[in-house]
Amino acid sequence: MEWKRETEMFTIYRKEVMWAGRKLTFETGRIARQADGAVLATYGETAVLATVVAAREPKPGVDFFPLTVNYQEKAFAAGKIPGGFFKREGRPNEKETLTSRLIDRPIRPMFADGYRNETQIICTVLSHDTENDPDIVSMVAASAALTISGVPFLGPIAGARVGYINGEYVLNPLRSQMGDTALDLVVAGTDEAVLMVESEAKELTEEVMLGAVMFGHEGFQPVIDAIIDLAEECAKDPWPLPENPAAKAVAARVEAVARPGLEEAYRQVVKQQRQLAVKSVKEKTVEALVAGEGLEPQLVSGAFKALEAKIVRGRILKEGVRIDGRDLKTVRPIVSEVGVLSRAHGSTLFTRGETQALVVTTLGTGQDEQIMDMLEGEYREHFLLHYNFPPYSVGEASPMRSPGRREIGHGKLAWRALRAVLPEKSAFPYTIRIVSEITESNGSSSMATVCGSSLSMMDAGVPLARPVAGIAMGLIKEDDGFAVLSDILGDEDHLGDMDFKVAGTDQGITALQMDIKITGITEEIMKVALGQARDGRLHILGRMAEALGGAREEVSSNAPRITTISIPKDKIREVIGTGGKVIREITEQTGAKVDIEDDGTIRVAAVDGKAVDAAINWIKGIVAEPEVGTIYTGKVVKVVEFGAFVNFIGTRDGLVHISELSAERVNQVTDVINEGDEVKVKVLGIDDRGKVKLSMRVVDQATGAELPDTREPREPRGDREPRGDREPRGDRDRGDRGDRPRKPRGPR
C-alpha cells in the first residue's frame, strides 16, 4: 500500500509492506525536510528516523570516501529517563557503536567510484516496542533515505535478521523468541548479492549457516522493492556521477613509472621490508610525476593504490602465489604459549605469522558483573571481552586513545565466538573478563583474539565445552575468475574484495562475519570460502591443542574460590541486615565477598579458603533454626535476676532460667555465669512465639556431653484433679461473705 497526501505544510509520501508477518512503513516529507533525504521507518511499534546530508563539493585533498554513520537511541523511545547525574543521553554505548558499524558496512561499497563528498547518515530511534530490534529498521531506513536523496548511491540495499528455532529458519524473530534460537544472524545486500553478514551461532554446520544467509537474502527482497517504489514517487534528482577525464592518463603514467619497482617490492615476504620498499617506490613516483610533471597529487596517489591492487591481485589469480609466498590455502606458522604471566589467573601469547595477541583472563565474583542499561531494560553481564590495538602493534607512533569503533567491533566479534562454549553460570559462578592486547598485527587480530581467549580461559580453569579457533578469509574476484585466500595478510585485506571471518569449534561455527568491498558475492563463492575456512580452523585447533588441550582441573590459585549455598527467601533480610549492616560486617571481618540473589542463592568468594568457610558458617548461623534436644555453644549476652540470655545460634538468643543453670541450687545468677562467658546449652523447647528455653544443667560444660537429668520429676499436670471435675467456682459455698464487714478503702 502506498499513498501521497498533501496538506498546507507537508507533502507526505508513504509506502507500506507486510514483512515477516508485521507491517513495515516508510514515510517521508513530514519530518526533517531540510536533510537531503529523510525517512521514518516503522516496524511493529519500533520507529527510526534516518537522515542523509552530503556536502555539495568533494573535500579538498581527500583520497577516500568520508562517510559517517551514527546510530543513536533516545531513552524516551522506551518511556525511560536516562540514568546518571545529567539525566540525558551521553557518549554512544556499545549497542549504538556496533549498530553504527552494522549500517556502515553494507552501505559503504554502494557509492559511486570517485565520490569524495563528506556524507553523514544519522539514525535516531524514536520508539521501541522492545520486540522489534531497531538495528534492522535503522538499516533499511538509511537505505531508503539514501535512495531518495539524490546522492550517487547505487542501491538500494536491505537487511534482515535470521533465527534458527527447532531446526527451522525464522525471519526477523521477535526479541522474546531469541532465547530459543541457535542462531542470531544479520545479512544485508542488494537484490542480486550479499554484502554483509554478522552472526552468532551455537556450533552450527557450514550448510546451515549458508542456508541462513540465503534465506535472509531472499527474505528482504520485498523491502528492496518497497524502497524502489517509494523512490519512484519522491526521489530527488540524481547528482551527477564524479568524473575526472585526466584520471586515465595519470594512471597510465603512474604504471609506466612505478610498476617495475612495485612488482619487486611485493616480492618481499617480510612485512617491514615490503612496506619500506613500497614507500620508496611511491616517493620516487610522486617526485617524478608531481614535482617533475606537475600532475595532481591526489590523482597520483589514487592511481598508485590502484596499481598496487592490480599487481597483487593479478599475481594471485595468474600464479596462485601470495605476497608472502604462500599458496591460497596455507595457514601461517602458529606458536601458542600458556601461563606466560605468573600472577594472572590465565594467560596466553598466541602468535600466527606476524600477528600476535597477549590474552589475559581474570575471574571475579558477581560484584564484578557489568550492569547493562539498554532500551529493552537493565541486565547484568558476567562475560566481558575487551580488545586493545596499541599503535606499536603496527610499528607506528601515534596518540593513545580510548577504544574506538574498530576496537569495540573486533572485541564483540570475539565475544560472540566464545559465548556458545561457556559453562552455565550455575555450574561456574564466576564473572569472566578477558583482555586481548594486540602486540603485533599483520592479518586478522580479531581471530587471534578468539584463539588466544580460548586458551587463556582454559589456562584459568574455565571449563569450556570445546576450544574455539578463528580464521580470516579473503577474496580476489575479477571477470575471468576468483580466488579464496586462507589466513589473509593485512595487505591482502586492503587490496582484496572480501574480509570473511569464521570462528568455531571442531563441531561447528560459533561466529561468522563477512564484509564485501565489491557489489556482492554469490552463493558459490560463500560455499567455497566456508569449506576452505573449516579446513583452516581445524588446522589451527590442532596447533592450539599442542599448548593446552582442555581446561585445567582447578581454577588458578590466584583466583577467588566461590562456594554457593542456598537459604530460604524469608531469611534474606536477616543476612543483609538493616541498611546492609549484617552483610557488611560479614565481609569486613572475614574478608570474603558475598553475593545474594533474590531466589536465596548466596555465593561466597575469597582467595583464602578459610575466609570462605568463616563467612559461610556465619551465614548458616544466621539462617539456622534451633532444634529441640540439640546442644549448642553460645555466649552470655545479658544477665537478669531470673536467669541469663545466651546467643547460641546466629542471631538467636534463648533464656537459661536460674533453675537450669546448675544441678545445685543457685541463689544468684552471677554466682555461676556473667556476661561474655562462653557456655554450652541444650534446647529444651520453643514456644508458640518463638522464644527458646535453654538449659546448662544437663550439659557438661567442659566436654559438651549431655548429662542425665537427676532432678525428681514434678507431678504431671495431667495427674491432678481435672479442672472440669471440680466444683464450679460460682457454685461454691461462700458462707456469709456478703455479710462480713468490708475493709474500708483508703482515700481516693
Side-chain angles (χ1 to χ4, degrees):
M1 174 183 174
E2 61 183 283
W3 51 261
K4 172 184 176 183
R5 185 175 71 192
E6 296 187 19
T7 67
E8 184 178 349
M9 292 190 65
F10 307 114
T11 301
I12 304 172
Y13 298 88
R14 177 175 290 184
K15 174 67 180 178
E16 296 178 357
V17 61
M18 291 302 295
W19 188 33
R22 278 103 70 197
K23 181 166 53 176
L24 174 66
T25 303
F26 295 111
E27 179 189 297
T28 187
R30 184 161 59 104
I31 304 176
R33 292 171 296 163
Q34 296 188 45
D36 292 317
V39 170
L40 178 67
T42 305
Y43 193 42
E45 292 184 355
T46 294
V48 176
L49 174 66
T51 61
V52 176
V53 176
R56 297 296 166 178
E57 299 294 333
K59 200 169 184 177
V62 171
D63 60 353
F64 63 92
F65 175 32
L67 171 66
T68 303
V69 178
N70 295 106
Y71 166 87
Q72 54 185 4
E73 296 179 339
K74 299 298 183 181
F76 61 72
K80 298 173 61 176
I81 295 176
F85 182 79
F86 294 103
K87 297 299 178 185
R88 69 175 297 164
E89 290 82 3
R91 60 180 297 177
N93 59 33
E94 184 182 82
K95 168 72 180 294
E96 290 172 314
T97 299
L98 294 171
T99 305
S100 297
R101 284 171 52 88
L102 196 72
I103 298 168
D104 182 297
R105 285 155 50 195
I107 284 174
R108 188 175 290 271
M110 297 303 296
F111 286 85
D113 290 338
Y115 178 65
R116 298 290 184 267
N117 301 35
E118 190 164 1
T119 303
Q120 184 182 45
I121 301 169
I122 299 176
C123 297
T124 306
V125 181
L126 302 180
S127 177
H128 186 18
D129 59 13
T130 71
E131 282 286 13
N132 295 285
D133 199 310
D135 56 1
I136 297 298
V137 185
S138 298
M139 183 185 294
V140 298
S143 174
L146 282 166
T147 304
I148 68 172
S149 67
V151 300
F153 175 69
L154 309 180
I157 64 103
R161 174 169 272 104
V162 178
Y164 192 62
I165 302 174
N166 297 326
E168 300 288 338
Y169 297 120
V170 179
L171 185 66
N172 292 342
L174 298 172
R175 187 170 180 269
S176 57
Q177 296 177 278
M178 295 306 291
D180 301 323
T181 183
L183 173 68
D184 181 4
L185 180 143
V186 174
V187 57
T190 65
D191 58 342
E192 296 180 347
V194 173
L195 289 168
M196 185 274 296
V197 177
E198 181 82 54
S199 68
E200 176 183 350
K202 294 181 179 178
E203 297 183 284
L204 298 180
T205 65
E206 283 74 13
E207 292 75 18
V208 171
M209 295 298 289
L210 180 58
V213 172
M214 304 317 298
F215 176 82
H217 180 259
E218 180 66 25
F220 63 62
Q221 295 307 312
V223 180
I224 290 180
D225 295 338
I227 294 174
I228 293 173
D229 292 343
L230 180 70
E232 288 177 348
E233 292 292 324
C234 61
K236 297 179 180 179
D237 293 336
W239 294 18
L241 293 176
E243 294 182 4
N244 196 327
K248 289 185 178 180
V250 171
R253 290 292 300 131
V254 168
E255 182 163 2
V257 173
R259 188 178 186 95
L262 269 182
E263 287 181 340
E264 183 61 30
Y266 273 105
R267 293 187 184 276
Q268 300 286 339
V269 296
V270 179
K271 176 184 175 182
Q272 290 81 357
Q273 295 176 0
R274 183 169 62 250
Q275 287 180 332
L276 289 173
V278 171
K279 182 180 179 183
S280 175
V281 174
K282 185 173 183 179
E283 288 173 349
K284 292 177 182 178
T285 303
V286 170
E287 182 179 358
L289 300 182
V290 176
E293 300 183 15
L295 300 182
E296 186 178 337
Q298 186 175 337
L299 291 177
V300 172
S301 178
F304 191 87
K305 284 184 179 179
L307 181 58
E308 286 185 84
K310 185 177 180 180
I311 290 172
V312 171
R313 295 162 65 91
R315 188 181 178 203
I316 290 173
L317 286 174
K318 293 176 182 178
E319 304 175 24
V321 179
R322 297 160 64 177
I323 297 173
D324 59 357
R326 284 182 293 154
D327 60 24
L328 303 184
K329 297 182 179 181
T330 299
V331 177
R332 289 171 291 173
I334 294 173
V335 176
S336 301
E337 304 170 67
V338 296
V340 295
L341 302 178
S342 59
R343 293 294 297 175
H345 299 165
S347 58
T348 296
L349 185 66
F350 179 84
T351 308
R352 185 186 63 238
E354 296 169 307
T355 297
Q356 186 181 76
L358 175 63
V359 189
V360 183
T361 295
T362 305
L363 303 179
T365 67
Q367 297 178 19
D368 299 309
E369 292 178 343
Q370 184 175 10
I371 299 175
M372 310 294 288
D373 187 12
M374 313 295 288
L375 282 183
E376 297 86 354
E378 186 178 288
Y379 68 95
R380 301 176 73 92
E381 180 56 65
H382 77 286
F383 177 49
L384 313 173
L385 195 153
H386 299 141
Y387 166 102
N388 298 311
F389 193 85
Y392 66 76
S393 63
V394 288
E396 294 180 356
S398 60
M400 291 287 289
R401 295 186 174 91
S402 58
R405 290 187 176 186
R406 182 181 184 277
E407 286 81 3
I408 293 173
H410 281 30
K412 194 66 174 181
L413 174 60
W415 181 89
R416 291 190 180 106
L418 295 160
R419 203 158 69 116
V421 298
L422 292 178
E424 293 292 333
K425 188 178 177 182
S426 58
F428 192 76
Y430 287 89
T431 296
I432 305 170
R433 184 195 181 216
I434 298 173
V435 178
S436 175
E437 296 286 336
I438 303 305
T439 51
E440 296 180 25
S441 181
N442 182 21
S444 179
S445 54
S446 63
M447 295 296 96
T449 295
V450 170
C451 301
S453 297
S454 180
L455 288 169
S456 176
M457 282 196 287
M458 292 192 297
D459 185 46
V462 180
L464 300 183
R466 278 168 288 278
V468 180
I471 187 170
M473 313 296 293
L475 173 70
I476 304 297
K477 183 176 182 294
E478 298 291 351
D479 294 339
D480 55 350
F482 70 89
V484 175
L485 315 178
S486 295
D487 183 24
I488 56 174
L489 301 174
D491 287 335
E492 292 170 337
D493 183 6
H494 301 151
L495 303 176
D497 298 322
M498 177 181 74
D499 182 10
F500 190 24
K501 299 183 176 78
V502 185
T505 68
D506 57 358
Q507 302 294 309
I509 294 173
T510 57
L512 188 153
Q513 184 185 87
M514 181 177 71
D515 292 307
I516 305 300
K517 302 173 187 177
I518 54 180
T519 54
I521 64 170
T522 63
E523 182 179 1
E524 177 193 2
I525 295 175
M526 280 191 287
K527 188 173 183 180
V528 172
L530 283 168
Q532 199 165 312
R534 183 177 187 277
D535 295 339
R537 185 174 80 247
L538 294 177
H539 168 76
I540 296 171
L541 284 169
R543 298 306 307 270
M544 289 167 55
E546 295 173 4
L548 190 60
R552 301 196 186 278
E553 293 184 0
E554 294 185 354
V555 297
S556 166
S557 59
N558 297 323
R561 297 306 196 264
I562 297 181
T563 302
T564 302
I565 62 174
S566 182
I567 65 171
K569 291 182 181 180
D570 58 357
K571 296 291 184 179
I572 294 176
R573 180 176 297 179
E574 296 180 30
V575 176
I576 295 175
T578 304
K581 178 183 177 181
V582 176
I583 196 169
R584 281 199 304 271
E585 188 177 0
I586 295 172
T587 57
E588 289 170 1
Q589 293 194 23
T590 65
K593 291 183 178 180
V594 181
D595 297 324
I596 304 180
E597 297 184 3
D598 294 338
D599 63 354
T601 300
I602 298 182
R603 294 184 176 90
V604 182
V607 175
D608 183 3
K610 293 181 180 178
V612 173
D613 293 340
I616 289 177
N617 291 335
W618 194 327
I619 294 169
K620 286 183 176 179
I622 294 174
V623 302
E625 291 291 343
E627 297 182 13
V628 175
T630 303
I631 295 174
Y632 298 92
T633 298
K635 183 177 181 181
V636 179
V637 293
K638 187 177 182 181
V639 173
V640 292
E641 185 178 344
F642 53 84
F645 289 97
V646 176
N647 174 236
F648 67 99
I649 179 172
T651 59
R652 294 295 296 270
D653 296 344
L655 174 65
V656 181
H657 191 268
I658 190 170
S659 63
E660 294 291 340
L661 288 174
S662 174
E664 307 296 331
R665 179 177 176 82
V666 177
N667 293 320
Q668 193 171 347
V669 175
T670 53
D671 292 342
V672 179
I673 56 174
N674 292 282
E675 287 188 16
D677 288 352
E678 187 176 278
V679 296
K680 294 176 174 59
V681 294
K682 177 182 177 181
V683 178
L684 298 180
I686 306 171
D687 67 15
D688 295 340
R689 295 178 293 173
K691 292 185 176 181
V692 183
K693 183 180 179 181
L694 304 174
S695 175
M696 292 171 53
R697 180 176 58 84
V698 296
V699 182
D700 187 326
Q701 295 298 309
T703 65
E706 185 174 359
L707 299 174
D709 190 352
T710 58
R711 179 183 296 177
E712 291 185 8
R714 298 178 181 179
E715 181 184 353
R717 191 176 188 89
D719 295 338
R720 298 178 184 175
E721 181 183 346
R723 180 180 293 271
D725 296 336
R726 299 177 189 173
E727 182 181 351
R729 188 178 187 88
D731 297 333
R732 294 178 188 172
D733 183 6
R734 297 177 180 266
D736 296 326
R737 182 176 180 181
D739 300 330
R740 295 174 190 171
R742 295 184 180 180
K743 186 177 179 180
R745 294 183 180 179
R748 294 186 178 181

